[in-house]
Amino acid sequence: MANEDLFKKVISHAKEYGYIFQSSEIYDGLSAVYDYAQNGVELKKNIREYWWRSIVFMHQNIVGIDAAILMHPTTWKASGHIDAFNDPLIDNKDSKKRYRADVLIEDYCEKLNIKAQKEIIKAKKRFGESFNEEEFVSTNSRVIKYKSQQKEILERMARSLENEDLADVKLLIEELGIADPLSGSKNWTGVKQFNLMFGTKLGASAESAMDLYLRPETAQGIFVNFLNVQKTGRMKIPFGIAQTGKAFRNEIVARQFIFRMREFEQMEMQFFVKPGEEMKWYEYWKETRLNWHLSLGLGEENYRFHDHEKMAHYANAATDIEFNFPFGFKELEGIHSRTDFDLKAHEEYSGKKLQFFDHETNKNYTPYVVETSIGLDRMFLAIFSNSLKTEVLEDGSSRVVLKLPEILAPIKAAVFPLVKKDGLPEIARQIIEELKWEYNVVYDEKDAVGKRYRRQDAVGTPFCITVDHQTKEDNTVTIRHRDTMRQERIAISEISNQLKNATSFKAWLS
Ligand code: GAP
């Protein structure tokens, strides 16, 4: 299936099977805002839990908090968001469409990257077993040309944005001949900065109201609580504070379904370290986070690191873990070495000391921070789109199946009576009564069993359990596995064990 078709299928499947709805759909929706439906909310909750356990439960020196969305407005002055949380935007005069200038340039560079990759694939085919990719990449003139062009362009863009030289960003777009992806026009306006924070007011009367912002990242709720958590939790450096929660950005170029939303959820962790040790921990978290992604089995080839040329205002090293979405490799998670920028800034603006007292040296210092930050909705999209498959079966028919990792599947098992009589529904309901304490399970008696299997395949339910007449004789049922469609006969008393083996955090996370 072409990537564009696959993406359309992902969006329609998400709606049809109760995962994601457009927000306020009856009023024609609100752009780049989405609601999670009955199955979506379960998948999202399970992803959040999978992250939380891996970060908080698996590290004795990491604790979680849940800070408020509304924060004192000085927070955003200190963090630099009021002055610097901008996107460089450019309009096309003919199509009247608005784009992020940096994204247009990055997309151009990605095309160069794809050209280089094509050369590598061609050479791999030509040379077969004896192919040495490293040597080829460092000697082939075309690959070298594409890679160095890409590097030069990204470095120039980073420099221009850093120096606020927006005229040069426009010039770069013109020099590269970048056209509006929709209309093909190259008739561009100048580049302008646009602040992404949503403003709101606190207070009853217009005179006394205080200007507030909806938080654009959860991280600041962690920084302002650094000392509270460190003291009350008796935390010693290095230690981390984790948080999941909503963030809001007035994304002007909001496209690609739940990839770029105006209201979204982040899962962030700030790891406080001794100054000078930040690069060691930066590498540690790069590896640890990639391993977390790989543990879900979506395919190693679907991830890559993208080290930043243009750093955010607070970072001294930064990388993205990119995922191969249906529209190409894009950022899924950011790992940033944020130095002591945030704690120092909050110290300055609040007048409160945000430092750690080191008993070994009898000295105070401001810790450095390594941050891991992943969008929950983006993770949802990565998993959902990667899991959606259309398979041709042996008999020539096809099935649509959502091969979600079992640990994340919204419904772990569906229980069916073969027929709606002879006491079979009662046994099926009794099985549900037993399983429901540990697992989200559903009962289904409508249509032929084959049709019920297809329904559960499309929802992503890993197990279907069928109660038939033999069950009445020997207390066994048929359990059918979603991915292989294999069926086996097991004792009712064994069902819970099978579900446990397939969905235990220990098995998936270790
Ligand atoms: N505290 C650092 C921070 O917020 P970021 O790179 O701006 O860094 C982190 O955001 C992650 O949040 C991204 O990697 C992405 O997964 C997610 N994210 C950011 N903006 C988003 C949006 N508009 N919609 C959905 N997810 C978003």
PDB file of all heavy atoms in Angstrom, residues 85 216-219 249 251 258-262 264-266 268 270 314 331-334 336 338 371 373-378, ligand 1:
ATOM      1  N   PHE A  85       9.860  31.127  22.356  1.00  0.00           N
ATOM      2  CA  PHE A  85       9.163  29.905  21.921  1.00  0.00           C
ATOM      3  C   PHE A  85       8.378  30.201  20.639  1.00  0.00           C
ATOM      4  O   PHE A  85       7.161  30.309  20.621  1.00  0.00           O
ATOM      5  CB  PHE A  85       8.241  29.405  23.028  1.00  0.00           C
ATOM      6  CG  PHE A  85       7.756  28.009  22.794  1.00  0.00           C
ATOM      7  CD1 PHE A  85       8.644  26.976  22.533  1.00  0.00           C
ATOM      8  CD2 PHE A  85       6.406  27.713  22.835  1.00  0.00           C
ATOM      9  CE1 PHE A  85       8.210  25.688  22.310  1.00  0.00           C
ATOM     10  CE2 PHE A  85       5.952  26.423  22.611  1.00  0.00           C
ATOM     11  CZ  PHE A  85       6.854  25.415  22.350  1.00  0.00           C
ATOM     12  N   PRO A 216       3.168  25.073  27.620  1.00  0.00           N
ATOM     13  CA  PRO A 216       3.538  24.499  26.325  1.00  0.00           C
ATOM     14  C   PRO A 216       4.409  23.249  26.485  1.00  0.00           C
ATOM     15  O   PRO A 216       4.713  22.576  25.504  1.00  0.00           O
ATOM     16  CB  PRO A 216       4.340  25.624  25.662  1.00  0.00           C
ATOM     17  CG  PRO A 216       4.938  26.372  26.810  1.00  0.00           C
ATOM     18  CD  PRO A 216       4.001  26.234  27.969  1.00  0.00           C
ATOM     19  N   GLU A 217       4.857  22.970  27.711  1.00  0.00           N
ATOM     20  CA  GLU A 217       5.600  21.733  28.000  1.00  0.00           C
ATOM     21  C   GLU A 217       5.384  21.434  29.474  1.00  0.00           C
ATOM     22  O   GLU A 217       5.136  22.348  30.272  1.00  0.00           O
ATOM     23  CB  GLU A 217       7.097  21.892  27.707  1.00  0.00           C
ATOM     24  CG  GLU A 217       7.789  22.960  28.540  1.00  0.00           C
ATOM     25  CD  GLU A 217       9.309  22.968  28.423  1.00  0.00           C
ATOM     26  OE1 GLU A 217       9.852  22.307  27.536  1.00  0.00           O
ATOM     27  OE2 GLU A 217       9.954  23.656  29.251  1.00  0.00           O
ATOM     28  N   THR A 218       5.481  20.153  29.850  1.00  0.00           N
ATOM     29  CA  THR A 218       5.270  19.812  31.260  1.00  0.00           C
ATOM     30  C   THR A 218       6.536  20.054  32.084  1.00  0.00           C
ATOM     31  O   THR A 218       6.479  20.139  33.307  1.00  0.00           O
ATOM     32  CB  THR A 218       4.829  18.338  31.409  1.00  0.00           C
ATOM     33  OG1 THR A 218       5.844  17.504  30.844  1.00  0.00           O
ATOM     34  CG2 THR A 218       3.510  18.069  30.735  1.00  0.00           C
ATOM     35  N   ALA A 219       7.669  20.176  31.398  1.00  0.00           N
ATOM     36  CA  ALA A 219       8.969  20.228  32.079  1.00  0.00           C
ATOM     37  C   ALA A 219       9.051  21.308  33.163  1.00  0.00           C
ATOM     38  O   ALA A 219       9.636  21.082  34.224  1.00  0.00           O
ATOM     39  CB  ALA A 219      10.065  20.469  31.044  1.00  0.00           C
ATOM     40  N   ARG A 249      -0.005  23.981  22.423  1.00  0.00           N
ATOM     41  CA  ARG A 249       0.774  24.861  21.540  1.00  0.00           C
ATOM     42  C   ARG A 249      -0.124  25.328  20.400  1.00  0.00           C
ATOM     43  O   ARG A 249      -0.820  24.497  19.795  1.00  0.00           O
ATOM     44  CB  ARG A 249       1.978  24.114  20.952  1.00  0.00           C
ATOM     45  CG  ARG A 249       2.969  23.730  22.025  1.00  0.00           C
ATOM     46  CD  ARG A 249       4.206  23.060  21.475  1.00  0.00           C
ATOM     47  NE  ARG A 249       4.987  22.539  22.600  1.00  0.00           N
ATOM     48  CZ  ARG A 249       6.102  21.854  22.503  1.00  0.00           C
ATOM     49  NH1 ARG A 249       6.619  21.594  21.302  1.00  0.00           N
ATOM     50  NH2 ARG A 249       6.738  21.421  23.570  1.00  0.00           N
ATOM     51  N   GLU A 251      -0.154  25.605  17.353  1.00  0.00           N
ATOM     52  CA  GLU A 251       0.542  25.198  16.129  1.00  0.00           C
ATOM     53  C   GLU A 251      -0.184  25.809  14.939  1.00  0.00           C
ATOM     54  O   GLU A 251      -1.379  25.591  14.752  1.00  0.00           O
ATOM     55  CB  GLU A 251       0.539  23.669  15.985  1.00  0.00           C
ATOM     56  CG  GLU A 251       1.215  22.916  17.131  1.00  0.00           C
ATOM     57  CD  GLU A 251       2.728  22.897  17.016  1.00  0.00           C
ATOM     58  OE1 GLU A 251       3.268  23.510  16.078  1.00  0.00           O
ATOM     59  OE2 GLU A 251       3.363  22.260  17.878  1.00  0.00           O
ATOM     60  N   ILE A 258      -2.845  13.138  14.499  1.00  0.00           N
ATOM     61  CA  ILE A 258      -2.423  13.414  15.882  1.00  0.00           C
ATOM     62  C   ILE A 258      -0.914  13.617  15.999  1.00  0.00           C
ATOM     63  O   ILE A 258      -0.381  13.662  17.099  1.00  0.00           O
ATOM     64  CB  ILE A 258      -2.888  12.306  16.855  1.00  0.00           C
ATOM     65  CG1 ILE A 258      -2.365  10.935  16.397  1.00  0.00           C
ATOM     66  CG2 ILE A 258      -4.398  12.304  16.985  1.00  0.00           C
ATOM     67  CD1 ILE A 258      -2.544   9.841  17.435  1.00  0.00           C
ATOM     68  N   PHE A 259      -0.215  13.751  14.864  1.00  0.00           N
ATOM     69  CA  PHE A 259       1.236  13.982  14.943  1.00  0.00           C
ATOM     70  C   PHE A 259       1.515  15.380  15.497  1.00  0.00           C
ATOM     71  O   PHE A 259       2.396  15.559  16.332  1.00  0.00           O
ATOM     72  CB  PHE A 259       1.876  13.832  13.561  1.00  0.00           C
ATOM     73  CG  PHE A 259       3.366  14.060  13.586  1.00  0.00           C
ATOM     74  CD1 PHE A 259       4.213  13.040  13.982  1.00  0.00           C
ATOM     75  CD2 PHE A 259       3.910  15.290  13.249  1.00  0.00           C
ATOM     76  CE1 PHE A 259       5.587  13.238  14.039  1.00  0.00           C
ATOM     77  CE2 PHE A 259       5.280  15.496  13.299  1.00  0.00           C
ATOM     78  CZ  PHE A 259       6.118  14.466  13.699  1.00  0.00           C
ATOM     79  N   ARG A 260       0.796  16.368  15.024  1.00  0.00           N
ATOM     80  CA  ARG A 260       1.008  17.741  15.504  1.00  0.00           C
ATOM     81  C   ARG A 260      -0.335  18.314  15.930  1.00  0.00           C
ATOM     82  O   ARG A 260      -1.161  18.669  15.109  1.00  0.00           O
ATOM     83  CB  ARG A 260       1.636  18.595  14.401  1.00  0.00           C
ATOM     84  CG  ARG A 260       2.221  19.882  14.916  1.00  0.00           C
ATOM     85  CD  ARG A 260       2.952  20.656  13.848  1.00  0.00           C
ATOM     86  NE  ARG A 260       4.055  19.936  13.241  1.00  0.00           N
ATOM     87  CZ  ARG A 260       5.230  19.688  13.827  1.00  0.00           C
ATOM     88  NH1 ARG A 260       5.449  20.125  15.045  1.00  0.00           N
ATOM     89  NH2 ARG A 260       6.174  19.028  13.198  1.00  0.00           N
ATOM     90  N   MET A 261      -0.547  18.371  17.239  1.00  0.00           N
ATOM     91  CA  MET A 261      -1.840  18.805  17.762  1.00  0.00           C
ATOM     92  C   MET A 261      -1.689  20.119  18.527  1.00  0.00           C
ATOM     93  O   MET A 261      -0.587  20.506  18.894  1.00  0.00           O
ATOM     94  CB  MET A 261      -2.381  17.743  18.731  1.00  0.00           C
ATOM     95  CG  MET A 261      -2.554  16.382  18.100  1.00  0.00           C
ATOM     96  SD  MET A 261      -2.562  15.114  19.363  1.00  0.00           S
ATOM     97  CE  MET A 261      -4.288  15.106  19.788  1.00  0.00           C
ATOM     98  N   ARG A 262      -2.818  20.742  18.790  1.00  0.00           N
ATOM     99  CA  ARG A 262      -2.765  21.977  19.588  1.00  0.00           C
ATOM    100  C   ARG A 262      -2.876  21.643  21.077  1.00  0.00           C
ATOM    101  O   ARG A 262      -2.374  22.371  21.907  1.00  0.00           O
ATOM    102  CB  ARG A 262      -3.874  22.925  19.140  1.00  0.00           C
ATOM    103  CG  ARG A 262      -3.671  23.361  17.696  1.00  0.00           C
ATOM    104  CD  ARG A 262      -4.406  24.633  17.335  1.00  0.00           C
ATOM    105  NE  ARG A 262      -3.870  25.189  16.121  1.00  0.00           N
ATOM    106  CZ  ARG A 262      -4.445  25.091  14.909  1.00  0.00           C
ATOM    107  NH1 ARG A 262      -5.610  24.489  14.776  1.00  0.00           N
ATOM    108  NH2 ARG A 262      -3.861  25.611  13.847  1.00  0.00           N
ATOM    109  N   PHE A 264      -2.060  18.359  23.439  1.00  0.00           N
ATOM    110  CA  PHE A 264      -1.478  17.020  23.364  1.00  0.00           C
ATOM    111  C   PHE A 264      -0.931  16.639  24.726  1.00  0.00           C
ATOM    112  O   PHE A 264      -1.038  17.400  25.679  1.00  0.00           O
ATOM    113  CB  PHE A 264      -0.392  16.968  22.279  1.00  0.00           C
ATOM    114  CG  PHE A 264       0.740  17.945  22.467  1.00  0.00           C
ATOM    115  CD1 PHE A 264       1.960  17.538  22.983  1.00  0.00           C
ATOM    116  CD2 PHE A 264       0.572  19.284  22.130  1.00  0.00           C
ATOM    117  CE1 PHE A 264       3.003  18.435  23.165  1.00  0.00           C
ATOM    118  CE2 PHE A 264       1.613  20.196  22.315  1.00  0.00           C
ATOM    119  CZ  PHE A 264       2.830  19.777  22.830  1.00  0.00           C
ATOM    120  N   GLU A 265      -0.389  15.435  24.800  1.00  0.00           N
ATOM    121  CA  GLU A 265       0.112  14.983  26.098  1.00  0.00           C
ATOM    122  C   GLU A 265       1.584  14.623  25.986  1.00  0.00           C
ATOM    123  O   GLU A 265       1.993  13.993  25.007  1.00  0.00           O
ATOM    124  CB  GLU A 265      -0.710  13.776  26.581  1.00  0.00           C
ATOM    125  CG  GLU A 265      -0.418  13.430  28.020  1.00  0.00           C
ATOM    126  CD  GLU A 265      -1.469  12.520  28.650  1.00  0.00           C
ATOM    127  OE1 GLU A 265      -2.627  12.478  28.179  1.00  0.00           O
ATOM    128  OE2 GLU A 265      -1.099  11.846  29.629  1.00  0.00           O
ATOM    129  N   GLN A 266       2.342  15.040  26.988  1.00  0.00           N
ATOM    130  CA  GLN A 266       3.766  14.708  27.005  1.00  0.00           C
ATOM    131  C   GLN A 266       4.075  13.744  28.146  1.00  0.00           C
ATOM    132  O   GLN A 266       3.368  13.716  29.159  1.00  0.00           O
ATOM    133  CB  GLN A 266       4.602  15.979  27.205  1.00  0.00           C
ATOM    134  CG  GLN A 266       4.627  16.882  25.993  1.00  0.00           C
ATOM    135  CD  GLN A 266       5.567  18.058  26.184  1.00  0.00           C
ATOM    136  OE1 GLN A 266       5.567  18.690  27.239  1.00  0.00           O
ATOM    137  NE2 GLN A 266       6.361  18.362  25.168  1.00  0.00           N
ATOM    138  N   GLU A 268       7.437  13.314  30.249  1.00  0.00           N
ATOM    139  CA  GLU A 268       8.767  13.918  30.348  1.00  0.00           C
ATOM    140  C   GLU A 268       9.458  13.499  31.640  1.00  0.00           C
ATOM    141  O   GLU A 268       8.810  13.235  32.659  1.00  0.00           O
ATOM    142  CB  GLU A 268       8.657  15.447  30.319  1.00  0.00           C
ATOM    143  CG  GLU A 268       8.067  15.970  29.023  1.00  0.00           C
ATOM    144  CD  GLU A 268       8.412  17.437  28.779  1.00  0.00           C
ATOM    145  OE1 GLU A 268       7.989  18.284  29.581  1.00  0.00           O
ATOM    146  OE2 GLU A 268       9.090  17.717  27.784  1.00  0.00           O
ATOM    147  N   GLN A 270      12.991  14.772  33.879  1.00  0.00           N
ATOM    148  CA  GLN A 270      14.188  15.602  34.028  1.00  0.00           C
ATOM    149  C   GLN A 270      15.115  14.870  34.976  1.00  0.00           C
ATOM    150  O   GLN A 270      14.729  14.542  36.108  1.00  0.00           O
ATOM    151  CB  GLN A 270      13.831  16.986  34.610  1.00  0.00           C
ATOM    152  CG  GLN A 270      12.656  17.689  33.950  1.00  0.00           C
ATOM    153  CD  GLN A 270      12.914  18.045  32.509  1.00  0.00           C
ATOM    154  OE1 GLN A 270      14.026  18.430  32.148  1.00  0.00           O
ATOM    155  NE2 GLN A 270      11.904  17.893  31.662  1.00  0.00           N
ATOM    156  N   TYR A 314      17.944  26.332  25.476  1.00  0.00           N
ATOM    157  CA  TYR A 314      18.442  25.869  26.775  1.00  0.00           C
ATOM    158  C   TYR A 314      19.436  24.704  26.678  1.00  0.00           C
ATOM    159  O   TYR A 314      19.937  24.246  27.678  1.00  0.00           O
ATOM    160  CB  TYR A 314      17.248  25.426  27.645  1.00  0.00           C
ATOM    161  CG  TYR A 314      16.276  24.542  26.883  1.00  0.00           C
ATOM    162  CD1 TYR A 314      16.583  23.221  26.561  1.00  0.00           C
ATOM    163  CD2 TYR A 314      15.041  25.031  26.463  1.00  0.00           C
ATOM    164  CE1 TYR A 314      15.700  22.417  25.850  1.00  0.00           C
ATOM    165  CE2 TYR A 314      14.144  24.236  25.757  1.00  0.00           C
ATOM    166  CZ  TYR A 314      14.489  22.929  25.464  1.00  0.00           C
ATOM    167  OH  TYR A 314      13.622  22.143  24.760  1.00  0.00           O
ATOM    168  N   GLU A 331      10.247  13.213  14.115  1.00  0.00           N
ATOM    169  CA  GLU A 331      10.550  13.182  15.554  1.00  0.00           C
ATOM    170  C   GLU A 331       9.444  12.513  16.363  1.00  0.00           C
ATOM    171  O   GLU A 331       8.276  12.857  16.249  1.00  0.00           O
ATOM    172  CB  GLU A 331      10.736  14.623  16.056  1.00  0.00           C
ATOM    173  CG  GLU A 331      10.907  14.703  17.554  1.00  0.00           C
ATOM    174  CD  GLU A 331      10.977  16.130  18.076  1.00  0.00           C
ATOM    175  OE1 GLU A 331      11.133  17.063  17.266  1.00  0.00           O
ATOM    176  OE2 GLU A 331      10.867  16.293  19.306  1.00  0.00           O
ATOM    177  N   LEU A 332       9.888  11.576  17.211  1.00  0.00           N
ATOM    178  CA  LEU A 332       8.963  10.928  18.133  1.00  0.00           C
ATOM    179  C   LEU A 332       9.285  11.351  19.565  1.00  0.00           C
ATOM    180  O   LEU A 332       8.394  11.585  20.376  1.00  0.00           O
ATOM    181  CB  LEU A 332       9.117   9.397  17.977  1.00  0.00           C
ATOM    182  CG  LEU A 332       8.409   8.493  18.949  1.00  0.00           C
ATOM    183  CD1 LEU A 332       6.908   8.740  18.934  1.00  0.00           C
ATOM    184  CD2 LEU A 332       8.671   7.024  18.578  1.00  0.00           C
ATOM    185  N   GLU A 333      10.573  11.440  19.860  1.00  0.00           N
ATOM    186  CA  GLU A 333      11.008  11.772  21.221  1.00  0.00           C
ATOM    187  C   GLU A 333      12.237  12.662  21.156  1.00  0.00           C
ATOM    188  O   GLU A 333      13.057  12.521  20.244  1.00  0.00           O
ATOM    189  CB  GLU A 333      11.348  10.461  21.949  1.00  0.00           C
ATOM    190  CG  GLU A 333      12.075  10.653  23.263  1.00  0.00           C
ATOM    191  CD  GLU A 333      11.923   9.489  24.229  1.00  0.00           C
ATOM    192  OE1 GLU A 333      11.410   8.430  23.824  1.00  0.00           O
ATOM    193  OE2 GLU A 333      12.309   9.655  25.393  1.00  0.00           O
ATOM    194  N   GLY A 334      12.360  13.562  22.112  1.00  0.00           N
ATOM    195  CA  GLY A 334      13.551  14.413  22.179  1.00  0.00           C
ATOM    196  C   GLY A 334      14.357  14.081  23.430  1.00  0.00           C
ATOM    197  O   GLY A 334      13.781  13.841  24.499  1.00  0.00           O
ATOM    198  N   HIS A 336      17.427  15.851  25.541  1.00  0.00           N
ATOM    199  CA  HIS A 336      18.140  17.128  25.565  1.00  0.00           C
ATOM    200  C   HIS A 336      19.011  17.232  26.797  1.00  0.00           C
ATOM    201  O   HIS A 336      18.582  16.878  27.891  1.00  0.00           O
ATOM    202  CB  HIS A 336      17.138  18.302  25.611  1.00  0.00           C
ATOM    203  CG  HIS A 336      16.028  18.190  24.613  1.00  0.00           C
ATOM    204  ND1 HIS A 336      14.702  18.175  24.966  1.00  0.00           N
ATOM    205  CD2 HIS A 336      16.056  18.067  23.268  1.00  0.00           C
ATOM    206  CE1 HIS A 336      13.949  18.063  23.872  1.00  0.00           C
ATOM    207  NE2 HIS A 336      14.743  17.990  22.839  1.00  0.00           N
ATOM    208  N   ARG A 338      19.995  19.906  28.992  1.00  0.00           N
ATOM    209  CA  ARG A 338      19.475  21.283  29.170  1.00  0.00           C
ATOM    210  C   ARG A 338      20.362  22.151  30.034  1.00  0.00           C
ATOM    211  O   ARG A 338      19.944  23.229  30.443  1.00  0.00           O
ATOM    212  CB  ARG A 338      18.075  21.227  29.791  1.00  0.00           C
ATOM    213  CG  ARG A 338      17.019  20.636  28.884  1.00  0.00           C
ATOM    214  CD  ARG A 338      15.636  20.637  29.535  1.00  0.00           C
ATOM    215  NE  ARG A 338      15.016  21.937  29.563  1.00  0.00           N
ATOM    216  CZ  ARG A 338      13.794  22.206  29.094  1.00  0.00           C
ATOM    217  NH1 ARG A 338      13.053  21.262  28.570  1.00  0.00           N
ATOM    218  NH2 ARG A 338      13.299  23.421  29.177  1.00  0.00           N
ATOM    219  N   GLU A 371      17.127  15.693  29.851  1.00  0.00           N
ATOM    220  CA  GLU A 371      15.676  15.532  29.735  1.00  0.00           C
ATOM    221  C   GLU A 371      15.337  14.482  28.682  1.00  0.00           C
ATOM    222  O   GLU A 371      15.946  14.453  27.611  1.00  0.00           O
ATOM    223  CB  GLU A 371      15.069  16.864  29.320  1.00  0.00           C
ATOM    224  CG  GLU A 371      13.628  16.760  28.825  1.00  0.00           C
ATOM    225  CD  GLU A 371      13.109  18.094  28.299  1.00  0.00           C
ATOM    226  OE1 GLU A 371      13.482  18.487  27.188  1.00  0.00           O
ATOM    227  OE2 GLU A 371      12.332  18.722  29.008  1.00  0.00           O
ATOM    228  N   SER A 373      11.869  13.509  26.571  1.00  0.00           N
ATOM    229  CA  SER A 373      10.540  14.085  26.373  1.00  0.00           C
ATOM    230  C   SER A 373       9.873  13.442  25.166  1.00  0.00           C
ATOM    231  O   SER A 373      10.351  13.571  24.043  1.00  0.00           O
ATOM    232  CB  SER A 373      10.677  15.591  26.148  1.00  0.00           C
ATOM    233  OG  SER A 373       9.426  16.134  25.815  1.00  0.00           O
ATOM    234  N   ILE A 374       8.775  12.747  25.423  1.00  0.00           N
ATOM    235  CA  ILE A 374       8.090  12.053  24.321  1.00  0.00           C
ATOM    236  C   ILE A 374       6.625  12.444  24.303  1.00  0.00           C
ATOM    237  O   ILE A 374       5.997  12.597  25.353  1.00  0.00           O
ATOM    238  CB  ILE A 374       8.292  10.521  24.438  1.00  0.00           C
ATOM    239  CG1 ILE A 374       7.469   9.802  23.370  1.00  0.00           C
ATOM    240  CG2 ILE A 374       7.943   9.980  25.802  1.00  0.00           C
ATOM    241  CD1 ILE A 374       7.811   8.334  23.232  1.00  0.00           C
ATOM    242  N   GLY A 375       6.099  12.631  23.108  1.00  0.00           N
ATOM    243  CA  GLY A 375       4.681  12.935  22.963  1.00  0.00           C
ATOM    244  C   GLY A 375       3.887  11.635  23.004  1.00  0.00           C
ATOM    245  O   GLY A 375       4.148  10.711  22.229  1.00  0.00           O
ATOM    246  N   LEU A 376       2.938  11.578  23.940  1.00  0.00           N
ATOM    247  CA  LEU A 376       2.132  10.355  24.085  1.00  0.00           C
ATOM    248  C   LEU A 376       1.298  10.113  22.823  1.00  0.00           C
ATOM    249  O   LEU A 376       1.164   8.977  22.351  1.00  0.00           O
ATOM    250  CB  LEU A 376       1.243  10.492  25.325  1.00  0.00           C
ATOM    251  CG  LEU A 376       0.232   9.397  25.625  1.00  0.00           C
ATOM    252  CD1 LEU A 376       0.814   8.005  25.549  1.00  0.00           C
ATOM    253  CD2 LEU A 376      -0.377   9.613  27.007  1.00  0.00           C
ATOM    254  N   ASP A 377       0.770  11.194  22.256  1.00  0.00           N
ATOM    255  CA  ASP A 377      -0.066  11.034  21.060  1.00  0.00           C
ATOM    256  C   ASP A 377       0.774  10.561  19.868  1.00  0.00           C
ATOM    257  O   ASP A 377       0.326   9.748  19.059  1.00  0.00           O
ATOM    258  CB  ASP A 377      -0.740  12.366  20.715  1.00  0.00           C
ATOM    259  CG  ASP A 377      -1.354  12.996  21.949  1.00  0.00           C
ATOM    260  OD1 ASP A 377      -0.621  13.711  22.678  1.00  0.00           O
ATOM    261  OD2 ASP A 377      -2.531  12.748  22.214  1.00  0.00           O
ATOM    262  N   ARG A 378       2.010  11.072  19.795  1.00  0.00           N
ATOM    263  CA  ARG A 378       2.892  10.622  18.695  1.00  0.00           C
ATOM    264  C   ARG A 378       3.247   9.165  18.850  1.00  0.00           C
ATOM    265  O   ARG A 378       3.348   8.417  17.878  1.00  0.00           O
ATOM    266  CB  ARG A 378       4.176  11.451  18.678  1.00  0.00           C
ATOM    267  CG  ARG A 378       4.032  12.593  17.729  1.00  0.00           C
ATOM    268  CD  ARG A 378       5.286  13.331  17.518  1.00  0.00           C
ATOM    269  NE  ARG A 378       4.891  14.710  17.221  1.00  0.00           N
ATOM    270  CZ  ARG A 378       5.705  15.691  16.954  1.00  0.00           C
ATOM    271  NH1 ARG A 378       7.006  15.468  16.950  1.00  0.00           N
ATOM    272  NH2 ARG A 378       5.246  16.886  16.688  1.00  0.00           N
TER     273      ARG A 378
HETATM  274  N1  GAP B   1      10.346  19.789  27.250  1.00  0.00           N
HETATM  275  C1  GAP B   1      10.939  19.667  25.960  1.00  0.00           C
HETATM  276  C2  GAP B   1       9.984  19.710  24.866  1.00  0.00           C
HETATM  277  O1  GAP B   1       8.818  20.011  25.053  1.00  0.00           O
HETATM  278  P1  GAP B   1       9.746  19.301  22.297  1.00  0.00           P
HETATM  279  O2  GAP B   1      10.713  18.673  21.346  1.00  0.00           O
HETATM  280  O3  GAP B   1       9.177  20.616  21.961  1.00  0.00           O
HETATM  281  O4  GAP B   1      10.524  19.366  23.683  1.00  0.00           O
HETATM  282  C3  GAP B   1       8.803  17.001  23.058  1.00  0.00           C
HETATM  283  O5  GAP B   1       8.559  18.296  22.556  1.00  0.00           O
HETATM  284  C4  GAP B   1       7.912  15.979  22.389  1.00  0.00           C
HETATM  285  O6  GAP B   1       6.547  16.374  22.513  1.00  0.00           O
HETATM  286  C5  GAP B   1       8.152  15.827  20.893  1.00  0.00           C
HETATM  287  O7  GAP B   1       9.195  14.924  20.634  1.00  0.00           O
HETATM  288  C6  GAP B   1       6.813  15.293  20.415  1.00  0.00           C
HETATM  289  O8  GAP B   1       6.744  13.890  20.585  1.00  0.00           O
HETATM  290  C7  GAP B   1       5.827  15.944  21.370  1.00  0.00           C
HETATM  291  N2  GAP B   1       5.179  17.101  20.730  1.00  0.00           N
HETATM  292  C8  GAP B   1       5.667  18.356  20.613  1.00  0.00           C
HETATM  293  N3  GAP B   1       4.782  19.155  19.989  1.00  0.00           N
HETATM  294  C9  GAP B   1       3.701  18.392  19.710  1.00  0.00           C
HETATM  295  C10 GAP B   1       2.449  18.629  19.085  1.00  0.00           C
HETATM  296  N4  GAP B   1       2.115  19.839  18.649  1.00  0.00           N
HETATM  297  N5  GAP B   1       1.578  17.609  18.949  1.00  0.00           N
HETATM  298  C11 GAP B   1       1.892  16.375  19.414  1.00  0.00           C
HETATM  299  N6  GAP B   1       3.053  16.084  20.020  1.00  0.00           N
HETATM  300  C12 GAP B   1       3.957  17.069  20.179  1.00  0.00           C
END
